[in-house]
Amino acid sequence: MTLGLILLVIAGVLVLFGVGQRVLDKLRLTDRQALLFIALIIAGGFVPDIPVTPQFSFNIGGALIPLGLCVYLWIKADTAAERIRSIAAALVTGAAVYALGRFMPDEPETIVIDPGYMHGLAAGVIGYLFGRSRRGAFIAGVVGVMLASVASAVQVWSMGISQRLVLGGAGAFDVIVMSGLIAVLLSELIGEISERIKRGRQRPTREFKNGEFVRKESEK
């Protein structure tokens, strides 16, 4: 079982036990919808790649379903500004992952971590930094990885090298899953920490309301 599948199974189990409900609420997803998408991604990953041209094909679980989820989240965004920010964040993430792939050493003896895992981690972190919201971070991470894969293929093709691009296939499946989950988890973790710090700076006071004293939150 690959890392991407392991992460998806863990995510599915957590959803079943009601963990992460806050994250799903932020993503505008119900438990059933989240489990459905997870199941579709896992099942689609075992379906043979769909050829489009002799040089391009895509995987249903590694590309089509995650991209469809990104479109759903993009439509569910609260404001037009969030939609624009999500697209911009995806472009920035794609450019960063592409540059990382270009400048990382490719000699086996110099590679400390699998390049795919490095790309997934980088996409997740950059997606969080520029996506800001949970939805924006997920979209930036997933779409950014796909854009980087397309850019790398175009760069190779421009050199006259015939190399097939399988979007979301093989190792790219793990990278896409990693990037989306890391981006969302970072957004949730840091968002929760920020909210706790903000609440910690407040102290409860009392006010007279409707004939009785009630607790009231006010800043120091």
Side-chain angles (χ1 to χ4, degrees):
M1 184 177 290
T2 66
L3 178 61
L5 288 175
I6 293 173
L7 292 175
L8 286 173
V9 170
I10 293 174
V13 171
L14 292 177
V15 172
L16 281 173
F17 282 94
V19 180
Q21 187 60 53
R22 172 189 164 100
V23 178
L24 295 180
D25 291 341
K26 294 289 185 180
L27 291 174
R28 300 291 193 274
L29 288 173
T30 64
D31 291 359
R32 291 184 178 181
Q33 289 173 330
L35 290 172
L36 175 61
F37 275 113
I38 290 173
L40 289 174
I41 292 173
I42 293 176
F46 292 101
V47 176
D49 301 328
I50 308 298
V52 179
T53 69
Q55 289 188 316
F56 172 69
S57 61
F58 65 90
N59 183 271
I60 294 178
L64 186 62
I65 303 301
L67 186 59
L69 177 55
C70 287
V71 172
Y72 172 82
L73 295 177
W74 188 80
I75 293 174
K76 287 290 186 177
D78 294 328
T79 64
E82 184 180 357
R83 296 189 183 96
I84 295 173
R85 189 170 60 242
S86 298
I87 295 174
L91 293 173
V92 172
T93 303
V97 174
Y98 171 76
L100 183 64
R102 291 273 293 167
F103 295 109
M104 277 188 66
D106 52 8
E107 295 81 7
E109 62 274 7
T110 61
I111 297 176
V112 179
I113 184 174
D114 186 286
Y117 296 161
M118 178 61 73
H119 292 171
L121 178 62
V125 173
I126 297 170
Y128 154 70
L129 291 175
F130 289 91
R132 297 178 64 180
S133 69
R134 276 75 166 177
R135 290 183 295 271
F138 183 87
I139 293 170
V142 171
V143 177
V145 169
M146 294 186 185
L147 291 176
S149 297
V150 172
S152 296
V154 170
Q155 190 265 333
V156 170
W157 294 337
S158 67
M159 298 169 59
I161 302 174
S162 180
Q163 179 175 310
R164 190 181 184 192
L165 168 63
V166 183
L167 194 63
F173 178 91
D174 294 341
V175 177
I176 288 173
V177 171
M178 283 182 60
S179 62
L181 292 179
I182 289 174
V184 171
L185 289 176
L186 280 175
S187 296
E188 176 61 20
L189 178 62
I190 297 178
E192 177 67 16
I193 292 174
S194 298
E195 290 180 11
R196 286 180 179 273
I197 292 175
K198 183 178 179 180
R199 288 198 299 267
R201 292 174 178 172
Q202 298 176 338
R203 60 183 178 185
T205 58
R206 293 182 178 272
E207 63 177 344
F208 191 75
K209 187 176 182 180
N210 298 327
E212 61 179 346
F213 285 98
V214 296
R215 293 174 67 85
K216 173 186 174 182
E217 294 293 328
S218 63
E219 293 187 358
K220 289 182 179 181

